Amino acid sequence: MPIFLEVQSGPRKGQRIRLNPGQTLRVGRTPKSDLAFAEDSLMSSIHFVLECGENACQLRDLNSRNGTSLNGQKVMQSALQHGDRIVAGGTTFLLQMEGNQPPVVEAQPPLSADTAPHDRLLSMLRRDFQPLYAILDAARDVKILALLLQYKEEHQSLYEGQEGAELAQVAPYLVKLKKDSALLDTLVREGWGQSWGVYLTTPNEFADVRRHLRHFLEVKLPDGKQVYFRFYDPRVLRTYLPTCTPEETNQFFNRRRKAVEAAAVRKPGPRTRKERHPSGDGDSICS
């Protein structure tokens, strides 16, 4: 029976690897593996191995740093069946045993009580928050801009013109995340607890969402001074939203036009680098 391992996410999505009877396939990040994913920084050098017989296949985790998930649950070793999904690092794989097998049906596997928090967040974002966007704060970590360039998801700074060019390294970026986005895996796992940004869901087009969010980049203080507002920082957003009147809340979420229907806010965490602001003084309006 032909057995195939198909890459389901990331730059190599759609790649299929045939597994022959008696073959052992080691998957990881470095050339030490038989199948290497150098672009996946969350994958261990040799992450897991598949051992295939005539009509069966076994999965073994090789003491990887972030573990190996099978259908949503972390495993060290397990027999595999047609349609099983394996997640290693930020990459998802689908096992296909061709022959008299029913088609693979997309479904969200139930989460066990001991499922890691970031796995629960990933499941929730993919299941309940579609279409999904994120606003990422490049001032929080140099990795953010590098990840956007690496994964090539649709993204754009909320700043424009000369200001946008000068502040590109520390700007807030709107990014549209596909349901099977490998970037989403990386953001949740590497950015967990780092306040990299916020998630939101809306049926509106990218340009319309960006236009709406740009309205909140500046606010006026009681003394009339115009300053930048870091609403995309989850620590700020959690403080700001409870203080809003119903009218202000409706305006922020633009409920009449449904520009933004909901937001999922990242878990807060300690600062990892000095934050820079467009005003140049390094201060937040809310913190």
Side-chain angles (χ1 to χ4, degrees):
M1 176 188 302
I3 300 176
F4 292 89
L5 185 69
E6 181 176 318
V7 182
Q8 291 274 290
S9 64
R12 292 159 66 176
K13 179 180 178 182
Q15 180 182 359
R16 298 182 83 211
I17 301 92
R18 179 167 181 147
L19 303 172
N20 299 314
Q23 181 179 354
T24 296
L25 180 73
R26 298 181 303 170
V27 180
R29 192 185 70 256
T30 67
K32 296 178 181 178
S33 304
D34 304 311
L35 181 62
F37 291 80
E39 69 277 7
D40 190 339
S41 61
L42 294 177
M43 196 177 285
S44 295
S45 57
I46 307 177
H47 199 105
F48 70 88
V49 62
L50 296 179
E51 300 166 332
C52 296
E54 285 292 338
N55 297 301
C57 205
Q58 284 273 343
L59 164 71
R60 281 195 299 115
D61 179 82
L62 298 176
N63 296 315
S64 61
R65 182 176 71 254
N66 293 315
T68 302
S69 295
L70 177 63
N71 299 325
Q73 296 189 25
K74 291 287 180 68
V75 297
M76 288 301 297
Q77 182 170 340
S78 180
L80 296 175
Q81 299 179 0
H82 174 68
D84 279 346
R85 279 180 169 76
I86 303 165
V87 176
T91 306
T92 301
F93 303 89
L94 173 68
L95 189 80
Q96 297 177 315
M97 298 179 175
E98 297 190 350
N100 297 322
Q101 298 285 353
V104 177
V105 178
E106 289 286 342
Q108 291 289 337
L111 297 176
S112 64
D114 59 351
T115 300
H118 45 66
D119 288 327
R120 288 184 175 277
L121 177 58
L122 275 171
S123 177
M124 179 184 70
L125 291 174
R126 288 185 166 132
R127 183 185 65 241
D128 302 328
F129 290 88
Q130 295 294 325
L132 182 66
Y133 292 82
I135 312 171
L136 302 176
D137 184 3
R140 289 291 295 157
D141 198 313
V142 293
K143 290 182 182 178
I144 292 174
L145 201 52
L147 289 171
L148 291 175
L149 295 174
Q150 174 185 342
Y151 286 98
K152 297 181 174 58
E153 301 280 10
E154 183 179 7
H155 68 276
Q156 189 175 357
S157 169
L158 292 184
Y159 297 146
E160 288 187 341
Q162 184 63 29
E163 174 193 54
E166 293 174 354
L167 300 169
Q169 299 296 319
V170 293
Y173 284 83
L174 178 67
V175 54
K176 188 169 186 179
L177 296 163
K178 299 175 183 176
K179 193 171 185 178
D180 59 353
S181 169
L183 174 59
L184 177 59
D185 287 79
T186 302
L187 291 174
V188 169
R189 296 180 191 281
E190 290 197 17
W192 184 260
Q194 304 305 320
S195 297
W196 278 6
V198 297
Y199 297 109
L200 56 96
T201 181
T202 170
N204 290 73
E205 296 297 324
F206 186 96
D208 294 330
V209 178
R210 180 176 177 271
R211 188 180 305 114
H212 172 71
L213 293 172
R214 277 181 45 78
H215 292 156
F216 304 97
L217 288 174
E218 293 186 354
V219 294
K220 186 178 292 186
L221 296 180
D223 61 5
K225 182 181 178 182
Q226 200 83 3
V227 294
Y228 286 93
F229 179 37
R230 292 171 51 80
F231 69 89
Y232 44 84
D233 185 324
R235 301 163 300 176
V236 173
L237 192 60
R238 277 199 205 84
T239 303
Y240 167 67
L241 287 179
T243 69
C244 291
T245 65
E247 181 180 353
E248 289 169 336
T249 301
N250 287 334
Q251 182 183 18
F252 184 80
F253 288 105
N254 203 9
R255 284 173 174 158
R256 290 181 181 177
R257 296 183 182 178
K258 292 188 177 179
V260 179
E261 290 187 341
V265 183
R266 186 178 303 285
K267 175 185 173 183
R271 297 188 181 192
T272 55
R273 62 186 290 231
K274 180 176 176 62
E275 297 180 9
R276 295 174 56 193
H277 295 257
S279 59
D281 57 12
D283 294 329
S284 296
I285 295 171
C286 300
S287 60

